[in-house]
Amino acid sequence: MSTGISGWVPVEHRWFGLDRRQMRPALFVLVVALLLIYGWPALNAVVPWDNPTKAGDVLDLGDGATAVPPVGWQLEDGALVSDRTGVSATSDNVKLVKAGTTIQMSGASFDGTAAQFLDQVITSENPEADISGSPATFTTTSGLVGVVRSASGTGGDELLAAFKMSSTDPVRAPALLVNVSAVPGEFQQVSSEIDTFLRSITPGADE
Amino acid sequence: MTIAASTAKNAQLEAIDESGWGARFKFFQPHNPAFWVYVIGVGAGALGMIKYFGPALGGTYRLAVTSGIVFFGIYLIPWLIFLRRQNRYTAQPGKLLATGFVWGAVAATFWIALPANTALLEIWTKLLGPTGANTWAAGLSAPIDEEWSKGLGLILLIALAPRLVRSAYDGFIIGAFIGLGFQVSEDVLYAYNNATASFGVGQLESSLFILALRGFAGITSHALFSAIFCAGVMWILGRAPGERRIGRGIAACLAAMFLHFAWDDASGLFGWSNFLVLFAPYLILMPLAIATLLVVRRLASAKERAWMRELLAPEVETGVIDQPLLDAVSGLHKDRRHFRKLVHSRHRARHLIESAGDLAQEIAAAGGHETPRVAHARAEVLRLRGN
């Protein structure tokens, strides 16, 4: 029993100065917390991705906008048109991964041109980033005009492409950002697939 | 008469001992291993918080984060007033509740839930595919990671204040404070995330949007889930005599996790109707959550109400407190409403109930002994009763 003085631990309950009676709950909390913090990531590391894109797949970018993903990449985020899930053009996310290359697409609400949107993205994410000087124009097969900027460094290659998803009223249309990042030496191997993918971006049917 | 008085006095002393009411809470306990686990959790959570918000505070998203903190800081005030009113019967000390709040806001969120959710969401995405995960992953991850991370805070508080945290109602109130801390922290995080989704355009409007959206949804969010979950944990542990109800405890924990799951996955549960996807969270899930909360609160308070009656029984015998006042101070909402009608004055009823509560608190703090503060509290009850 307690000696009656708050904080005084009877000698028979001490272990290296700690109160042994509270060891069980403390260890329980520590073990459960560590299981949640490190157990799930460990399990995640052993569960492989198994959602490769197939010939004929079409990505749903919302409001009828689509893109055709390169075949054989892992679709880690995003919906296909065949899923019929109802994607919002201003909040859609797509992630495609193949070896050391990742393609991420993000829809956003933005009033302005594609070039202004890309400037906003660069300013908000990392204004100090080593992005190439002037943006280049990029036109998709459907006639959608976007801007592309790229960066290259010891960490790998990066390509940013911005589009406004309307040919008739681009200023008020939803914006789409495509961010491609590749580990060193990887980009050249997939550049033609990325080029074809970017050209496949199509605005909604009502355009 | 003497035997009856002595029986009532013994019951009073037993109630004080069982409830731990009046015991003081000391946070700094270097001899207690639970203290060090708490410090590690909150310390690691604070580092995670700085890592998450640090770059934003010094860069583009400063306005989103600061406005989120200010808006949800203001939002916190009515919540604290509301929960303070719920902290009745053998009320918990503010310092203990603040310790729980900090665990919820810092450790449960940034130390445990954030990394655990990130990994578990990805596991579900791998298993269900991106579309399936979009519909179900949040509801299959958050109730596990978040309810457990908050519940761990209660376990630590039991180890830090074993005399104070005894009944299911203690778990209910402490759980609500841990959940509230979690909720506000998560709200600020959402304000920041929403601003990043629009690449920093319209940050103030974005924070206001999150305040409106999550502020309303917050009525039946983490504070409610944790109150139910932690009451369940206390029933499982059965720390008060006669309160070990393992089945009821598991049911309460599962109910909290189910409500959390249903709220997060409403689009999957009600996917067959566009109307229900939009409105079922408010028309079905909110009333269901509130009804569950009220049932759990009623069941959880039974022991505390019994303690309160035993604690004040000697005062009833000496006529300081009459039966209707005892019923009101130890009763449910309907008992207090009945008492208001009986005394024909809302103010007088409130004052009488509060003064009887003060007397009970002073008796508990004095360990059942007669002290000047007990005498004063008793005199106050008599003054208000007009004797």
Side-chain angles (χ1 to χ4, degrees), chain A residues 7 9 17-19 22-23 25-26 29 33 36-37 40-41 44 47 49 51 75-76 78 83 85 108 110 117 120 123-125 177, chain B residues 30-34 36-37 60-61 111-112 115-116 119-120 122-123 125-126 130-131 145 148 152 155-156 159 162 197 199-201:
Chain A
V9 183
L18 294 173
D19 187 346
Q22 306 304 343
M23 202 61 90
V29 171
L36 291 171
I37 297 165
W40 291 135
N44 186 28
V47 178
W49 282 102
N51 190 35
L75 180 62
E76 297 188 1
D83 295 330
T85 50
F110 183 83
F117 175 57
Q120 176 65 30
T123 308
S124 68
E125 294 195 333
L177 176 76
Chain B
H31 63 276
N32 192 333
W36 293 109
V37 174
T60 316
Y61 298 104
W111 184 43
I112 304 175
L120 192 51
E122 195 164 301
I123 292 170
T125 310
K126 288 173 178 176
T131 309
D145 297 334
W148 276 82
L152 293 178
I155 306 288
L156 283 181
F199 300 99
V201 178

Short mmCIF file of all heavy atoms in Angstrom, two decimals, chain A residues 7 9 17-19 22-23 25-26 29 33 36-37 40-41 44 47 49 51 75-76 78 83 85 108 110 117 120 123-125 177, chain B residues 30-34 36-37 60-61 111-112 115-116 119-120 122-123 125-126 130-131 145 148 152 155-156 159 162 197 199-201:
data_model
loop_
_atom_site.label_atom_id
_atom_site.label_comp_id
_atom_site.label_asym_id
_atom_site.label_seq_id
_atom_site.Cartn_x
_atom_site.Cartn_y
_atom_site.Cartn_z
N GLY A 7 3.53 10.80 -4.35
CA GLY A 7 4.77 10.70 -5.12
C GLY A 7 5.81 9.79 -4.48
O GLY A 7 6.83 9.50 -5.09
N VAL A 9 7.23 6.40 -3.63
CA VAL A 9 7.04 5.02 -4.08
C VAL A 9 7.67 4.09 -3.05
O VAL A 9 8.86 4.20 -2.76
CB VAL A 9 7.71 4.79 -5.46
CG1 VAL A 9 7.45 3.38 -5.96
CG2 VAL A 9 7.22 5.82 -6.47
N GLY A 17 14.27 3.38 -9.74
CA GLY A 17 13.64 4.65 -9.37
C GLY A 17 12.23 4.83 -9.91
O GLY A 17 11.56 5.80 -9.58
N LEU A 18 11.79 3.89 -10.75
CA LEU A 18 10.45 4.01 -11.33
C LEU A 18 9.45 3.17 -10.54
O LEU A 18 9.82 2.16 -9.93
CB LEU A 18 10.45 3.55 -12.79
CG LEU A 18 11.26 4.41 -13.77
CD1 LEU A 18 11.30 3.74 -15.14
CD2 LEU A 18 10.64 5.81 -13.90
N ASP A 19 8.21 3.59 -10.57
CA ASP A 19 7.15 2.88 -9.87
C ASP A 19 6.71 1.67 -10.73
O ASP A 19 6.10 1.86 -11.79
CB ASP A 19 5.96 3.85 -9.66
CG ASP A 19 4.90 3.24 -8.78
OD1 ASP A 19 4.93 2.01 -8.56
OD2 ASP A 19 4.02 4.00 -8.32
N GLN A 22 3.07 1.09 -12.20
CA GLN A 22 2.56 1.77 -13.40
C GLN A 22 3.31 1.33 -14.67
O GLN A 22 3.15 1.94 -15.72
CB GLN A 22 2.66 3.30 -13.23
CG GLN A 22 2.00 3.83 -11.98
CD GLN A 22 0.53 3.44 -11.87
OE1 GLN A 22 -0.11 3.04 -12.84
NE2 GLN A 22 -0.03 3.53 -10.67
N MET A 23 4.15 0.29 -14.51
CA MET A 23 4.95 -0.16 -15.66
C MET A 23 4.05 -0.78 -16.74
O MET A 23 4.26 -0.55 -17.93
CB MET A 23 5.98 -1.17 -15.18
CG MET A 23 7.16 -1.32 -16.08
SD MET A 23 8.10 0.19 -16.28
CE MET A 23 9.26 0.04 -14.96
N PRO A 25 0.71 -0.36 -17.63
CA PRO A 25 -0.01 0.55 -18.54
C PRO A 25 0.94 1.36 -19.42
O PRO A 25 0.64 1.57 -20.60
CB PRO A 25 -0.79 1.48 -17.59
CG PRO A 25 -0.24 1.26 -16.24
CD PRO A 25 0.37 -0.09 -16.22
N ALA A 26 2.08 1.77 -18.86
CA ALA A 26 3.03 2.56 -19.65
C ALA A 26 3.56 1.73 -20.82
O ALA A 26 3.61 2.21 -21.96
CB ALA A 26 4.17 3.04 -18.76
N VAL A 29 0.84 1.17 -23.53
CA VAL A 29 0.67 2.33 -24.41
C VAL A 29 1.83 2.42 -25.40
O VAL A 29 1.63 2.62 -26.60
CB VAL A 29 0.56 3.64 -23.57
CG1 VAL A 29 0.62 4.87 -24.47
CG2 VAL A 29 -0.73 3.63 -22.76
N ALA A 33 1.30 1.98 -29.38
CA ALA A 33 1.65 3.16 -30.19
C ALA A 33 2.70 2.79 -31.23
O ALA A 33 2.57 3.13 -32.41
CB ALA A 33 2.15 4.29 -29.29
N LEU A 36 1.27 0.78 -34.07
CA LEU A 36 0.53 1.59 -35.03
C LEU A 36 1.48 2.42 -35.89
O LEU A 36 1.29 2.55 -37.10
CB LEU A 36 -0.47 2.51 -34.31
CG LEU A 36 -1.66 1.83 -33.63
CD1 LEU A 36 -2.43 2.81 -32.76
CD2 LEU A 36 -2.60 1.21 -34.65
N ILE A 37 2.51 2.98 -35.24
CA ILE A 37 3.41 3.89 -35.97
C ILE A 37 4.32 3.12 -36.93
O ILE A 37 4.57 3.57 -38.05
CB ILE A 37 4.28 4.71 -34.96
CG1 ILE A 37 3.38 5.60 -34.09
CG2 ILE A 37 5.30 5.58 -35.69
CD1 ILE A 37 4.07 6.15 -32.85
N TRP A 40 2.12 -0.71 -39.24
CA TRP A 40 1.44 -0.51 -40.53
C TRP A 40 2.43 -0.22 -41.65
O TRP A 40 2.34 -0.83 -42.72
CB TRP A 40 0.39 0.60 -40.43
CG TRP A 40 -0.82 0.32 -39.61
CD1 TRP A 40 -1.40 1.17 -38.70
CD2 TRP A 40 -1.66 -0.85 -39.60
NE1 TRP A 40 -2.50 0.60 -38.13
CE2 TRP A 40 -2.69 -0.63 -38.65
CE3 TRP A 40 -1.63 -2.06 -40.28
CZ2 TRP A 40 -3.68 -1.58 -38.40
CZ3 TRP A 40 -2.61 -3.00 -40.01
CH2 TRP A 40 -3.61 -2.74 -39.09
N PRO A 41 3.40 0.68 -41.44
CA PRO A 41 4.39 0.90 -42.52
C PRO A 41 5.15 -0.38 -42.88
O PRO A 41 5.47 -0.61 -44.04
CB PRO A 41 5.33 1.97 -41.95
CG PRO A 41 4.49 2.72 -40.98
CD PRO A 41 3.58 1.68 -40.36
N ASN A 44 2.87 -2.40 -44.91
CA ASN A 44 2.73 -1.72 -46.20
C ASN A 44 3.92 -2.03 -47.11
O ASN A 44 3.76 -2.20 -48.32
CB ASN A 44 2.61 -0.21 -45.96
CG ASN A 44 2.31 0.56 -47.23
OD1 ASN A 44 1.71 0.01 -48.15
ND2 ASN A 44 2.72 1.80 -47.27
N VAL A 47 3.39 -5.48 -48.74
CA VAL A 47 2.24 -5.67 -49.65
C VAL A 47 2.58 -4.98 -50.98
O VAL A 47 2.80 -3.78 -51.01
CB VAL A 47 0.94 -5.07 -49.06
CG1 VAL A 47 -0.22 -5.23 -50.03
CG2 VAL A 47 0.61 -5.73 -47.73
N TRP A 49 2.21 -3.45 -54.89
CA TRP A 49 1.19 -2.84 -55.73
C TRP A 49 0.81 -3.83 -56.83
O TRP A 49 1.66 -4.52 -57.37
CB TRP A 49 1.73 -1.56 -56.38
CG TRP A 49 1.74 -0.39 -55.45
CD1 TRP A 49 2.83 0.11 -54.80
CD2 TRP A 49 0.63 0.40 -55.06
NE1 TRP A 49 2.46 1.18 -54.02
CE2 TRP A 49 1.11 1.39 -54.17
CE3 TRP A 49 -0.73 0.40 -55.37
CZ2 TRP A 49 0.28 2.33 -53.59
CZ3 TRP A 49 -1.55 1.35 -54.79
CH2 TRP A 49 -1.05 2.30 -53.91
N ASN A 51 -1.84 -3.03 -59.54
CA ASN A 51 -2.93 -2.38 -60.25
C ASN A 51 -2.39 -1.75 -61.54
O ASN A 51 -2.45 -0.54 -61.73
CB ASN A 51 -3.56 -1.31 -59.34
CG ASN A 51 -4.85 -0.77 -59.91
OD1 ASN A 51 -5.62 -1.50 -60.55
ND2 ASN A 51 -5.10 0.52 -59.71
N LEU A 75 -1.21 2.11 -61.30
CA LEU A 75 -2.12 3.20 -60.99
C LEU A 75 -2.34 3.19 -59.47
O LEU A 75 -3.07 2.38 -58.93
CB LEU A 75 -3.45 3.01 -61.73
CG LEU A 75 -4.51 4.08 -61.50
CD1 LEU A 75 -4.04 5.46 -61.96
CD2 LEU A 75 -5.83 3.72 -62.19
N GLU A 76 -1.68 4.11 -58.76
CA GLU A 76 -1.74 4.12 -57.30
C GLU A 76 -2.81 5.08 -56.77
O GLU A 76 -3.21 5.00 -55.61
CB GLU A 76 -0.37 4.49 -56.72
CG GLU A 76 0.69 3.45 -57.06
CD GLU A 76 2.02 3.69 -56.34
OE1 GLU A 76 2.10 4.66 -55.56
OE2 GLU A 76 2.96 2.91 -56.59
N GLY A 78 -6.33 7.56 -58.40
CA GLY A 78 -7.06 8.02 -59.56
C GLY A 78 -8.10 7.01 -60.02
O GLY A 78 -8.05 5.84 -59.66
N ASP A 83 -14.76 3.09 -64.12
CA ASP A 83 -15.15 2.98 -62.70
C ASP A 83 -16.46 3.72 -62.42
O ASP A 83 -17.14 3.42 -61.43
CB ASP A 83 -14.06 3.54 -61.78
CG ASP A 83 -12.77 2.73 -61.84
OD1 ASP A 83 -12.87 1.52 -62.10
OD2 ASP A 83 -11.69 3.31 -61.63
N THR A 85 -17.13 6.70 -61.12
CA THR A 85 -17.19 7.13 -59.72
C THR A 85 -17.54 8.60 -59.55
O THR A 85 -17.76 9.05 -58.43
CB THR A 85 -15.84 6.88 -59.01
OG1 THR A 85 -14.81 7.41 -59.82
CG2 THR A 85 -15.62 5.42 -58.74
N ALA A 108 -7.33 21.52 -59.87
CA ALA A 108 -7.51 22.62 -58.90
C ALA A 108 -8.41 23.68 -59.52
O ALA A 108 -8.56 23.76 -60.74
CB ALA A 108 -6.16 23.23 -58.55
N PHE A 110 -8.77 27.42 -60.36
CA PHE A 110 -7.85 28.55 -60.52
C PHE A 110 -8.35 29.47 -61.63
O PHE A 110 -8.63 29.02 -62.74
CB PHE A 110 -6.44 28.03 -60.87
CG PHE A 110 -5.41 29.12 -60.99
CD1 PHE A 110 -4.78 29.61 -59.85
CD2 PHE A 110 -5.07 29.66 -62.22
CE1 PHE A 110 -3.82 30.62 -59.94
CE2 PHE A 110 -4.12 30.67 -62.32
CZ PHE A 110 -3.50 31.15 -61.19
N PHE A 117 -1.12 29.80 -63.72
CA PHE A 117 -1.31 28.68 -62.78
C PHE A 117 0.03 28.02 -62.46
O PHE A 117 0.34 27.75 -61.30
CB PHE A 117 -2.29 27.66 -63.40
CG PHE A 117 -2.47 26.42 -62.57
CD1 PHE A 117 -2.91 26.49 -61.25
CD2 PHE A 117 -2.19 25.16 -63.10
CE1 PHE A 117 -3.07 25.33 -60.49
CE2 PHE A 117 -2.35 24.01 -62.34
CZ PHE A 117 -2.79 24.10 -61.03
N GLN A 120 1.95 30.07 -60.11
CA GLN A 120 1.40 29.97 -58.76
C GLN A 120 1.87 28.67 -58.08
O GLN A 120 2.23 28.66 -56.91
CB GLN A 120 -0.14 30.00 -58.81
CG GLN A 120 -0.84 29.79 -57.47
CD GLN A 120 -0.57 30.92 -56.49
OE1 GLN A 120 -0.36 32.06 -56.87
NE2 GLN A 120 -0.56 30.58 -55.19
N THR A 123 5.56 29.04 -57.17
CA THR A 123 5.69 29.97 -56.03
C THR A 123 5.26 29.30 -54.73
O THR A 123 5.90 29.45 -53.70
CB THR A 123 4.81 31.22 -56.27
OG1 THR A 123 5.11 31.73 -57.54
CG2 THR A 123 5.06 32.27 -55.20
N SER A 124 4.14 28.57 -54.80
CA SER A 124 3.59 27.98 -53.56
C SER A 124 4.40 26.79 -53.07
O SER A 124 4.53 26.57 -51.88
CB SER A 124 2.14 27.56 -53.76
OG SER A 124 2.09 26.47 -54.65
N GLU A 125 4.98 26.04 -54.00
CA GLU A 125 5.67 24.83 -53.57
C GLU A 125 7.12 25.07 -53.22
O GLU A 125 7.57 24.69 -52.14
CB GLU A 125 5.52 23.73 -54.63
CG GLU A 125 4.06 23.32 -54.73
CD GLU A 125 3.85 22.03 -55.46
OE1 GLU A 125 4.68 21.69 -56.32
OE2 GLU A 125 2.82 21.38 -55.20
N LEU A 177 -2.57 20.14 -63.10
CA LEU A 177 -1.11 20.13 -63.00
C LEU A 177 -0.63 18.70 -63.19
O LEU A 177 -1.16 17.78 -62.56
CB LEU A 177 -0.66 20.64 -61.63
CG LEU A 177 0.85 20.58 -61.40
CD1 LEU A 177 1.55 21.70 -62.16
CD2 LEU A 177 1.19 20.65 -59.92
N PRO B 30 8.21 12.11 -12.08
CA PRO B 30 9.37 11.45 -12.71
C PRO B 30 9.53 9.99 -12.31
O PRO B 30 10.20 9.23 -13.03
CB PRO B 30 10.56 12.29 -12.21
CG PRO B 30 10.06 13.09 -11.08
CD PRO B 30 8.60 13.27 -11.26
N HIS B 31 8.91 9.56 -11.20
CA HIS B 31 9.01 8.15 -10.78
C HIS B 31 8.03 7.27 -11.55
O HIS B 31 8.10 6.04 -11.46
CB HIS B 31 8.69 8.05 -9.29
CG HIS B 31 7.30 8.48 -8.98
ND1 HIS B 31 6.96 9.81 -8.79
CD2 HIS B 31 6.15 7.78 -8.86
CE1 HIS B 31 5.66 9.89 -8.57
NE2 HIS B 31 5.14 8.69 -8.61
N ASN B 32 7.11 7.89 -12.30
CA ASN B 32 6.03 7.14 -12.96
C ASN B 32 6.38 6.89 -14.43
O ASN B 32 6.52 7.84 -15.21
CB ASN B 32 4.73 7.95 -12.85
CG ASN B 32 3.52 7.14 -13.25
OD1 ASN B 32 3.63 6.20 -14.04
ND2 ASN B 32 2.38 7.51 -12.71
N PRO B 33 6.53 5.63 -14.85
CA PRO B 33 6.88 5.37 -16.26
C PRO B 33 5.86 5.94 -17.24
O PRO B 33 6.21 6.32 -18.37
CB PRO B 33 6.95 3.84 -16.36
CG PRO B 33 6.42 3.31 -15.08
CD PRO B 33 6.45 4.38 -14.06
N ALA B 34 4.59 6.02 -16.80
CA ALA B 34 3.56 6.57 -17.69
C ALA B 34 3.84 8.04 -18.01
O ALA B 34 3.54 8.52 -19.11
CB ALA B 34 2.18 6.44 -17.03
N TRP B 36 6.78 9.34 -18.43
CA TRP B 36 7.81 9.40 -19.47
C TRP B 36 7.25 9.00 -20.83
O TRP B 36 7.64 9.56 -21.86
CB TRP B 36 9.01 8.53 -19.07
CG TRP B 36 9.69 9.12 -17.87
CD1 TRP B 36 9.70 8.62 -16.59
CD2 TRP B 36 10.39 10.37 -17.81
NE1 TRP B 36 10.37 9.46 -15.74
CE2 TRP B 36 10.81 10.56 -16.47
CE3 TRP B 36 10.69 11.35 -18.74
CZ2 TRP B 36 11.51 11.67 -16.05
CZ3 TRP B 36 11.41 12.47 -18.33
CH2 TRP B 36 11.81 12.62 -17.00
N VAL B 37 6.32 8.05 -20.85
CA VAL B 37 5.70 7.68 -22.13
C VAL B 37 4.88 8.87 -22.66
O VAL B 37 4.90 9.18 -23.85
CB VAL B 37 4.81 6.42 -21.99
CG1 VAL B 37 4.05 6.14 -23.27
CG2 VAL B 37 5.65 5.21 -21.61
N THR B 60 4.65 30.10 -48.08
CA THR B 60 3.42 30.48 -48.79
C THR B 60 2.15 30.28 -47.98
O THR B 60 1.20 31.03 -48.13
CB THR B 60 3.32 29.62 -50.08
OG1 THR B 60 4.59 29.58 -50.68
CG2 THR B 60 2.32 30.19 -51.04
N TYR B 61 2.14 29.24 -47.16
CA TYR B 61 0.87 28.86 -46.53
C TYR B 61 0.72 29.41 -45.10
O TYR B 61 -0.07 28.90 -44.31
CB TYR B 61 0.74 27.33 -46.52
CG TYR B 61 0.71 26.76 -47.91
CD1 TYR B 61 1.82 26.13 -48.45
CD2 TYR B 61 -0.42 26.90 -48.72
CE1 TYR B 61 1.81 25.63 -49.74
CE2 TYR B 61 -0.44 26.41 -50.01
CZ TYR B 61 0.68 25.77 -50.52
OH TYR B 61 0.65 25.28 -51.81
N TRP B 111 1.95 12.08 -33.50
CA TRP B 111 2.89 10.99 -33.20
C TRP B 111 2.35 9.67 -33.76
O TRP B 111 3.08 8.90 -34.36
CB TRP B 111 3.11 10.88 -31.69
CG TRP B 111 4.14 9.86 -31.30
CD1 TRP B 111 5.36 9.65 -31.89
CD2 TRP B 111 4.05 8.90 -30.23
NE1 TRP B 111 6.02 8.63 -31.25
CE2 TRP B 111 5.25 8.15 -30.23
CE3 TRP B 111 3.07 8.61 -29.27
CZ2 TRP B 111 5.49 7.13 -29.30
CZ3 TRP B 111 3.33 7.60 -28.35
CH2 TRP B 111 4.52 6.87 -28.37
N ILE B 112 1.05 9.42 -33.55
CA ILE B 112 0.51 8.10 -33.91
C ILE B 112 -0.34 8.13 -35.19
O ILE B 112 -0.02 7.45 -36.17
CB ILE B 112 -0.32 7.52 -32.74
CG1 ILE B 112 0.52 7.46 -31.46
CG2 ILE B 112 -0.83 6.12 -33.10
CD1 ILE B 112 -0.24 7.02 -30.22
N PRO B 115 1.28 9.04 -39.12
CA PRO B 115 2.04 7.99 -39.83
C PRO B 115 1.25 6.69 -39.98
O PRO B 115 1.35 6.02 -41.01
CB PRO B 115 3.28 7.77 -38.95
CG PRO B 115 2.95 8.33 -37.62
CD PRO B 115 1.94 9.42 -37.85
N ALA B 116 0.44 6.35 -38.96
CA ALA B 116 -0.33 5.10 -39.04
C ALA B 116 -1.37 5.17 -40.16
O ALA B 116 -1.52 4.22 -40.94
CB ALA B 116 -1.00 4.82 -37.70
N ALA B 119 0.17 4.92 -43.76
CA ALA B 119 0.53 3.55 -44.17
C ALA B 119 -0.72 2.70 -44.41
O ALA B 119 -0.81 1.99 -45.41
CB ALA B 119 1.41 2.92 -43.10
N LEU B 120 -1.68 2.79 -43.50
CA LEU B 120 -2.86 1.94 -43.62
C LEU B 120 -3.71 2.32 -44.84
O LEU B 120 -4.26 1.45 -45.53
CB LEU B 120 -3.70 2.00 -42.33
CG LEU B 120 -4.80 0.96 -42.18
CD1 LEU B 120 -4.29 -0.46 -42.41
CD2 LEU B 120 -5.44 1.03 -40.79
N GLU B 122 -2.56 3.42 -47.60
CA GLU B 122 -1.88 2.88 -48.78
C GLU B 122 -2.09 1.36 -48.88
O GLU B 122 -2.24 0.82 -49.98
CB GLU B 122 -0.39 3.22 -48.74
CG GLU B 122 0.28 2.99 -50.09
CD GLU B 122 1.63 3.67 -50.22
OE1 GLU B 122 1.68 4.91 -50.09
OE2 GLU B 122 2.63 2.96 -50.44
N ILE B 123 -2.12 0.70 -47.71
CA ILE B 123 -2.38 -0.75 -47.73
C ILE B 123 -3.75 -1.02 -48.34
O ILE B 123 -3.92 -1.88 -49.21
CB ILE B 123 -2.29 -1.34 -46.31
CG1 ILE B 123 -0.84 -1.29 -45.79
CG2 ILE B 123 -2.79 -2.79 -46.28
CD1 ILE B 123 -0.68 -1.62 -44.32
N THR B 125 -5.35 0.90 -50.37
CA THR B 125 -5.32 1.24 -51.80
C THR B 125 -4.76 0.08 -52.60
O THR B 125 -5.23 -0.23 -53.70
CB THR B 125 -4.49 2.52 -52.03
OG1 THR B 125 -4.93 3.52 -51.12
CG2 THR B 125 -4.65 3.05 -53.45
N LYS B 126 -3.73 -0.57 -52.04
CA LYS B 126 -3.15 -1.73 -52.73
C LYS B 126 -4.15 -2.88 -52.80
O LYS B 126 -4.21 -3.60 -53.79
CB LYS B 126 -1.89 -2.19 -51.99
CG LYS B 126 -0.71 -1.24 -52.15
CD LYS B 126 0.44 -1.67 -51.26
CE LYS B 126 1.64 -0.77 -51.42
NZ LYS B 126 2.73 -1.12 -50.50
N PRO B 130 -7.40 1.99 -56.28
CA PRO B 130 -7.62 3.40 -55.94
C PRO B 130 -9.10 3.77 -55.79
O PRO B 130 -9.47 4.53 -54.90
CB PRO B 130 -6.99 4.16 -57.11
CG PRO B 130 -6.03 3.20 -57.71
CD PRO B 130 -6.58 1.83 -57.49
N THR B 131 -9.96 3.20 -56.64
CA THR B 131 -11.38 3.57 -56.57
C THR B 131 -12.02 3.01 -55.30
O THR B 131 -12.74 3.73 -54.60
CB THR B 131 -12.12 3.04 -57.82
OG1 THR B 131 -11.39 3.45 -58.97
CG2 THR B 131 -13.53 3.58 -57.89
N ASP B 145 -6.85 3.52 -36.14
CA ASP B 145 -5.69 4.31 -35.72
C ASP B 145 -6.08 5.43 -34.75
O ASP B 145 -5.39 5.67 -33.76
CB ASP B 145 -5.01 4.94 -36.95
CG ASP B 145 -4.46 3.87 -37.89
OD1 ASP B 145 -4.17 2.77 -37.39
OD2 ASP B 145 -4.34 4.15 -39.09
N TRP B 148 -7.86 4.33 -31.25
CA TRP B 148 -6.85 3.71 -30.38
C TRP B 148 -5.84 4.74 -29.90
O TRP B 148 -5.46 4.73 -28.73
CB TRP B 148 -6.15 2.55 -31.10
CG TRP B 148 -6.95 1.29 -30.97
CD1 TRP B 148 -8.02 0.92 -31.72
CD2 TRP B 148 -6.77 0.27 -29.99
NE1 TRP B 148 -8.52 -0.27 -31.26
CE2 TRP B 148 -7.77 -0.70 -30.21
CE3 TRP B 148 -5.86 0.07 -28.96
CZ2 TRP B 148 -7.89 -1.84 -29.43
CZ3 TRP B 148 -5.96 -1.07 -28.18
CH2 TRP B 148 -6.98 -2.03 -28.41
N LEU B 152 -5.34 5.50 -25.96
CA LEU B 152 -4.07 5.30 -25.24
C LEU B 152 -3.83 6.45 -24.25
O LEU B 152 -3.22 6.25 -23.20
CB LEU B 152 -2.90 5.20 -26.23
CG LEU B 152 -2.89 3.96 -27.13
CD1 LEU B 152 -1.71 4.02 -28.09
CD2 LEU B 152 -2.83 2.67 -26.31
N ILE B 155 -5.45 5.58 -21.02
CA ILE B 155 -4.67 4.59 -20.26
C ILE B 155 -3.54 5.29 -19.50
O ILE B 155 -3.28 5.00 -18.33
CB ILE B 155 -4.08 3.51 -21.20
CG1 ILE B 155 -5.16 2.86 -22.07
CG2 ILE B 155 -3.28 2.45 -20.42
CD1 ILE B 155 -6.10 1.94 -21.38
N LEU B 156 -2.88 6.24 -20.19
CA LEU B 156 -1.79 6.97 -19.52
C LEU B 156 -2.32 7.80 -18.36
O LEU B 156 -1.69 7.87 -17.30
CB LEU B 156 -1.08 7.88 -20.52
CG LEU B 156 -0.11 7.21 -21.49
CD1 LEU B 156 0.54 8.25 -22.39
CD2 LEU B 156 0.97 6.43 -20.76
N ALA B 159 -2.86 5.76 -15.36
CA ALA B 159 -1.60 5.48 -14.66
C ALA B 159 -1.05 6.72 -13.96
O ALA B 159 -0.36 6.61 -12.95
CB ALA B 159 -0.58 4.94 -15.66
N PRO B 162 -4.31 7.33 -10.80
CA PRO B 162 -5.14 6.12 -10.58
C PRO B 162 -6.29 6.35 -9.61
O PRO B 162 -7.32 5.70 -9.73
CB PRO B 162 -4.14 5.11 -10.04
CG PRO B 162 -2.92 5.87 -9.66
CD PRO B 162 -2.91 7.14 -10.43
N ALA B 197 -4.14 22.28 -51.62
CA ALA B 197 -4.85 21.71 -52.77
C ALA B 197 -5.15 22.77 -53.82
O ALA B 197 -5.33 22.47 -55.00
CB ALA B 197 -6.14 21.04 -52.32
N PHE B 199 -3.06 25.32 -54.19
CA PHE B 199 -1.73 25.91 -54.39
C PHE B 199 -1.63 27.32 -53.81
O PHE B 199 -1.01 28.20 -54.40
CB PHE B 199 -1.35 25.88 -55.87
CG PHE B 199 -1.32 24.48 -56.42
CD1 PHE B 199 -2.39 23.98 -57.15
CD2 PHE B 199 -0.24 23.64 -56.18
CE1 PHE B 199 -2.38 22.68 -57.63
CE2 PHE B 199 -0.22 22.33 -56.67
CZ PHE B 199 -1.29 21.85 -57.40
N GLY B 200 -2.30 27.53 -52.67
CA GLY B 200 -2.12 28.78 -51.95
C GLY B 200 -3.02 29.92 -52.39
O GLY B 200 -2.90 31.03 -51.89
N VAL B 201 -3.93 29.65 -53.33
CA VAL B 201 -4.85 30.71 -53.78
C VAL B 201 -6.02 30.80 -52.80
O VAL B 201 -6.61 29.78 -52.44
CB VAL B 201 -5.36 30.42 -55.21
CG1 VAL B 201 -6.35 31.48 -55.66
CG2 VAL B 201 -4.21 30.32 -56.18
#
